[in-house]
Structures are given as C-alpha cells and as structure tokens.
Amino acid sequence: MNEKKKVSWLKQIDWWVALPALSILAALMAWALIDPTGMGDAINVIFNFLTDGFGWVYLMLGLLFLGFCLWLAFGPYRNVKIGKDDEKPQHSFFSWFAMIIACGYGVGLVFWGAAEPLSFLQTPPMGMEPYTAESAVRALAQAFFHWGWVPWAIYMVVGVTMGYFMFRKGMPPFFSRVLEPIFGDKVKSKGFRILDGFLVYGVVGGVTTATGLGILQLASGLFSLFGIPENNLTYIIIAIAWAALFTTSAVSGIDKGIKILSNLNIPLCIIVCVVVFIVGPTAFILNTMSSSLGDMLGNFFPMALWTDSIDKTGFAQGWTIFYWAWWIASAPSTGLFVADISRGRTLKEIVLVHLGAAPIATWLWFATFGGTAIFQEMFQNLGLVASMNDMGTQSVVFTMLSHLPLGQILAVLFLILIFLFLATTVDSFSYVCAQVSTKEDQNPTMPSKPLRAVWAISIAALAITMILVGKGQIQSLQLSSVVASIVIMFVMVLMIISMVKSLKQEEMEGTIDLQKINSRRYIMEEKASTLEAKKAKRAAKKEKAENI
C-alpha cells in the first residue's frame, strides 16, 4: 500500500480538492468574524431565493431519487453486487446497520426527536389549527415524512453509484469519476477535481453545523443535570474532549474507531428508547404512532409536493424544502461512507435496508420521544413548547426526560448518546473528506491518519469558532452549505444517468448475466456461500482469541 512506502501525507493531498474546500470555509469563517450580521443577512437572501424559486425542483428530485432506488431494488439489476460477483459483505449485518444509522441520522435523531413534533404541534402545516387532535397526529406524521423514505433515497443515490463504480469498476473514491460514462476522460481533468472540492465544502459545512448544534445540546444537558453554566468555557471544554474522541476514532479507521463507536451507541440508543417507551405514555405512543403512520401514508404525495405557494406561511420552505436541500448537501459524505461499508452486498439488500429497516427504526424513535413530548404538552400541561421557545430547541428533550420516572438516569444516558453519535458522524465524514482529497496515485484503501486528523480537527475548530462568534452563525454556516446543494443535486442526476448507462453497457458486454444472477438457484447458492463465509470468519476470530 502507499502508506507502507512512507510517502509524506502532505504529498498525498490533492490540493485541487482540498484548497477550494478549505478556502471557501476559511472565507466564511472570516466573514463571520468580521461581519456576522451581514453574513447572516446575505446567506438568508440567497437561501430564500433558492427555496422560493427552486423549491419545486428539490421536491420533484426527491421523488425521482426515491423512484430510482425502488427501480434498483426491484428492477432487473437488483442482484448486482457492490463489488465483484464473488465478494462477500465486509461487516456483520448489525455492525453495518449500526454504522448506517450513526452516520446517516444519529445526530439528527437525538436533536430533533422531541423538538420537531413539538414545533409542528405549535405551528402545523397546511392551515391546521395548532394544539388540536388533528395537528398532534400530523405533527408526528410530518416528522415521519421528513425522516423517512426520501432522505434515505437521497443518500442512496450517491451510496450505490459510488459503491458500484469504486468496487465493481475499480475507480478511485472521487465523485467526479462516477461521471466517466457521460464525459469520458474529461473527468480526470483539474476542473472536475475542483468540483470534488466543492462537494467536500458542502460536506464540511454540513457536519460542522451538526457539530456546533451537538456542542450546544451537550452544554444544555450539563446545565439541566448539573447546573454547569452554558458559556464559552463550557463550549470549549466540550469541544476539546469531544474532538479528542472523534479524532482518535477517525485515525483508527472504519473497522476500529467508527465501527466500535457505532456498536456502542446503537445498543445504548435502543436501551434509552425502550426505557422511555416503558416509563412514558406507552399506550398513547402506540396509538399516536399508528394514527400518524396512516396519516403519512395517506398524504405522502401531498406532503412530498406541497410548496405552500398560496398561503405562503413559509412552512414548506423552512422545513421540507430545507431538509431536502440539507440531505442533498450531506449526500456526498454519507453516500460515500455507505459505499465504503456496503461492499459485497447487492443493490437490493442495500436499498431495502435503507428504505425499510432504517425508516422503521427512525419512526420508532420519533414515535417514542415525539409522542411522549406531545402527551406531556397536551395532557399533562407541562409547558414543553414554552420551555423550548424560552431555552432553545436543544434543551427540550432534557425537560421532557425530567418529567419521567428515572429521568435523571435517562438524561445522563442521553448525554452519552449525543456524545457518541456526534463522534461517529464527524469521524465518518472526516474519513470521507480524507478519501476524496487524496491524490489518485496515492489513494490507498485507508486514507492517511494525519490527513484524517486534519479534517477532524478542522471540523471541531470551525464549529467552536462559529459558536464563540455567535450561535446564529451556526445556522448561517448551515444555510451556506445548503446553497451547495443547488450544484450537488444536478451532479446526483448525472450520477443516476451514468450508473444506468454503465449497467446497460455491462449487460451488453456480458459481464452482468441477468438470467443467472436473478435465478432462484443462484440466489440460494449465494446465501449458502455467505453463511459459510460468516462461519469461517467466526471460527477464525475464535481461534485468534484462544491463541492470545
């Protein structure tokens, strides 16, 4: 491998990628320091222009991406593997699924689980009256929709296309190289590498926002539990401790750092969710989840295409369209990470887990935390919405937990959960940034540790800077990264065209035998072969443990 040749990590960096991304981020940080108000106003104008003028494009593309994923899962190429035909999955199903959840949604789940349904209860969509039975059901249904099929499909567009071209076609982990079936050798030019840099900027801006919001939520939890003041010193201490954890994890790689953290936080996530479900309003949670799931299914297309063009309440632009733009801006990082961990699995398996198991897990979380929060607000009159409006979105989950049996213990576990989820998110994204910003001829299977550390530390430094300048500037950075989505979404459309073209080309050349891979006999043989590979892997681990 290239790392064994001891090539300096600085010489491994492709500055055509790293420099544009770092330059944009440095410029934004300088702008925030010099003129924070002007920065916020300017970015808001651009963001409003995009969501008002192109909101319908985001919504239409969301459905297009979902349709593409369903075609992959049930179409003729469903049993094509991400990798060579004889490759087996690199990770166990649990570890694979844990890393998918931790990287894809982890931060958002802990931050918005209670806050988003309460926000919709207070200001419901489509002209509904707030604090009614109808708006309570719709509040949870809207959260189900926002964190359901379309976002996972957006991630999958990048995930399956990158995985297919990297592990089946042998291309480097560059977004631009996926477009080779369309543009040919032009994708190897400096211009396309600058495009990769622009996508990396969207990645860093997005994950820095998550980092900043996570630091604020951790500080809020420490204040709620232990009375530690929410001030700059607290933010800095949290950032340093947290940066040390995710930097250590990032330089350890997927198999050690990210995988271990994911295997820790998902069981903890399940424990916290189950305990809240049991000690909370269990029957109400189940009944409201059923009603809200039915409401979402019955109104899926109205929700998916509503632009709020008549009443102009701003709900569609501020929530749905913003979310779609946000998922698109985050798709290059999450998608590439999913590609890295999904090698050896079929397109059908990857898509169905992301559109089946992952949304169900998400809905159970929102039903538990959102349902409990709605119950406390509407039936126990505990004033959660007022508390959220007064103390901030990041604090409401701790207010909710404080009113439950075992609330103190649950709050401590929740703090640990935030810490771990944010670490897995940041280190997986820094891993991706290091992959993309490494030169093609120096790009090993594992990016260099110093480069991974540089990206991880840069994310932490940028986040804490934005917090110290002013909490509002985190939202400005978030909006600025979302602005990148206007370019990324068209790149994603080209990725779809490129993959379809390549699949059909493989079929014509005979490297994909549809009759063979879709036959029942082949599928059964693959299952048996995978099972044998798992048994051999377990036996090898057991033997290794016995020899220690």
Side-chain angles (χ1 to χ4, degrees):
M1 303 304 292
N2 286 317
E3 285 186 316
K4 293 181 180 180
K5 295 178 182 179
K6 295 184 179 180
V7 176
S8 168
W9 67 275
L10 287 170
K11 292 182 179 179
Q12 293 181 24
I13 298 175
D14 188 338
W15 292 104
W16 288 98
V17 176
L19 195 58
L22 293 173
S23 297
I24 296 172
L25 290 165
L28 286 171
M29 191 160 61
W31 192 4
L33 290 168
I34 296 169
D35 185 15
T37 303
M39 175 187 175
D41 292 343
I43 290 177
N44 271 307
V45 168
I46 297 171
F47 179 76
N48 290 335
F49 171 75
L50 289 177
T51 54
D52 288 337
F54 296 93
W56 63 275
V57 178
Y58 285 104
L59 298 179
M60 291 286 188
L61 285 180
L63 291 179
L64 171 66
F65 296 152
L66 179 59
F68 172 67
C69 290
L70 291 173
W71 176 76
L72 287 177
F74 300 104
Y77 303 104
R78 60 189 179 276
N79 290 314
V80 172
K81 283 188 176 181
I82 296 297
K84 304 303 180 183
D85 290 336
D86 59 349
E87 286 194 60
K88 306 303 176 190
Q90 308 292 305
H91 307 281
S92 69
F93 182 85
F94 178 81
S95 293
W96 178 55
F97 185 68
M99 287 189 283
I100 287 171
I101 294 292
C103 175
Y105 271 4
V107 179
L109 288 179
V110 295
F111 194 88
W112 290 109
E116 186 166 328
L118 283 177
S119 298
F120 298 156
L121 180 67
Q122 180 181 213
T123 54
M126 300 184 181
M128 291 182 178
E129 289 294 321
Y131 301 104
T132 62
E134 183 184 28
S135 63
V137 170
R138 178 55 61 87
L140 206 52
Q142 197 75 36
F144 286 173
F145 172 71
H146 284 160
W147 297 80
W149 293 316
V150 175
W152 284 113
I154 290 171
Y155 287 161
M156 280 301 87
V157 169
V158 178
V160 295
T161 53
M162 289 298 297
Y164 169 79
F165 282 101
M166 286 166 56
F167 303 125
R168 189 173 182 88
K169 308 295 287 184
M171 292 185 179
F174 305 152
F175 306 116
S176 57
R177 293 298 290 274
V178 174
L179 308 180
E180 189 168 318
I182 300 174
F183 298 103
D185 289 340
K186 292 179 182 178
V187 298
K188 299 177 183 179
S189 67
K190 297 294 189 292
F192 277 89
R193 290 300 279 147
I194 292 173
L195 173 63
D196 286 328
F198 186 74
L199 299 187
V200 169
Y201 147 68
V203 169
V204 176
V207 73
T208 299
T209 304
T211 306
L213 294 177
I215 291 172
L216 293 177
Q217 192 172 36
L218 281 168
S220 178
L222 291 172
F223 174 75
S224 175
L225 284 169
F226 309 112
I228 298 173
E230 295 183 65
N231 55 31
N232 289 344
L233 179 61
T234 303
Y235 299 146
I236 292 171
I237 292 172
I238 290 172
I240 292 172
W242 185 32
L245 175 64
F246 70 65
T247 301
T248 302
S249 177
V251 300
S252 299
I254 290 178
D255 281 324
K256 293 182 180 179
I258 302 171
K259 185 175 179 178
I260 291 171
L261 286 178
S262 298
N263 286 342
L264 285 174
N265 61 15
I266 294 303
L268 180 59
C269 181
I270 294 171
I271 291 170
V272 171
C273 190
V274 168
V275 173
V276 171
F277 174 77
I278 293 172
V279 303
T282 306
F284 179 82
I285 290 171
L286 292 171
N287 286 321
T288 307
M289 180 175 68
S290 176
S291 299
S292 297
L293 188 59
D295 188 35
M296 186 204 71
L297 293 174
N299 292 283
F300 179 81
F301 285 104
M303 288 179 177
L305 295 170
W306 183 54
T307 60
D308 194 18
S309 59
I310 306 300
D311 292 333
K312 295 186 179 299
T313 62
F315 184 97
Q317 287 71 27
W319 287 100
T320 308
I321 295 170
F322 167 77
Y323 266 143
W324 274 209
W326 179 238
W327 303 135
I328 288 170
S330 303
S333 54
T334 306
L336 182 51
F337 183 76
V338 166
D340 279 327
I341 64 175
S342 299
R343 187 171 187 172
R345 299 184 185 274
T346 64
L347 296 176
K348 181 177 181 179
E349 181 181 8
I350 295 168
V351 172
L352 288 186
V353 165
H354 283 80
L355 296 186
I360 289 172
T362 306
W363 295 336
L364 289 171
W365 178 271
F366 270 96
T368 301
F369 282 83
T372 301
I374 290 171
F375 182 85
Q376 290 182 352
E377 176 68 22
M378 294 192 69
F379 295 98
Q380 295 182 320
N381 298 316
L382 295 178
L384 262 65
V385 170
S387 173
M388 181 175 69
N389 294 338
D390 181 46
M391 300 183 66
T393 306
Q394 68 270 14
S395 68
V396 70
V397 68
F398 295 104
T399 306
M400 183 203 81
L401 292 174
S402 70
H403 295 297
L404 293 175
L406 306 176
Q408 193 85 355
I409 296 173
L410 285 169
V412 171
L413 292 176
F414 202 84
L415 272 179
I416 297 171
L417 194 59
I418 297 168
F419 199 85
L420 291 175
F421 261 138
L422 286 164
T424 52
T425 300
V426 174
D427 63 28
S428 58
F429 280 24
S430 62
Y431 182 92
V432 166
C433 290
Q435 268 192 312
V436 180
S437 59
T438 300
K439 293 177 181 177
E440 181 175 350
D441 60 353
Q442 298 291 333
N443 210 314
T445 304
M446 196 76 67
S448 68
K449 291 181 179 180
L451 184 54
R452 279 177 270 159
V454 165
W455 282 111
I457 293 169
S458 297
I459 291 167
L462 184 58
I464 195 63
T465 300
M466 300 305 273
I467 289 176
L468 296 179
V469 169
K471 296 179 183 179
Q473 299 318 306
I474 296 177
Q475 280 72 28
S476 294
L477 182 63
Q478 184 179 37
L479 296 183
S480 73
S481 66
V482 167
V483 170
S485 67
I486 197 72
V487 174
I488 296 172
M489 66 181 179
F490 291 114
V491 174
M492 290 171 66
V493 172
L494 293 176
M495 283 180 163
I496 292 175
I497 296 170
S498 188
M499 183 171 182
V500 172
K501 186 175 180 179
S502 185
L503 285 169
K504 290 187 178 296
Q505 184 65 31
E506 276 207 70
E507 183 184 359
M508 290 175 59
E509 293 173 351
T511 52
I512 291 179
D513 186 342
L514 293 180
Q515 186 174 358
K516 175 186 174 183
I517 64 174
N518 292 330
S519 66
R520 182 174 179 81
R521 179 179 177 181
Y522 178 84
I523 294 170
M524 296 304 293
E525 288 175 350
E526 275 296 302
K527 288 182 178 179
S529 176
T530 300
L531 185 60
E532 286 299 318
K534 288 180 180 178
K535 288 180 179 178
K537 195 172 183 179
R538 283 195 294 266
K541 283 184 177 180
K542 184 178 180 181
E543 183 179 351
K544 184 178 179 181
E546 290 174 350
N547 292 332
I548 294 176

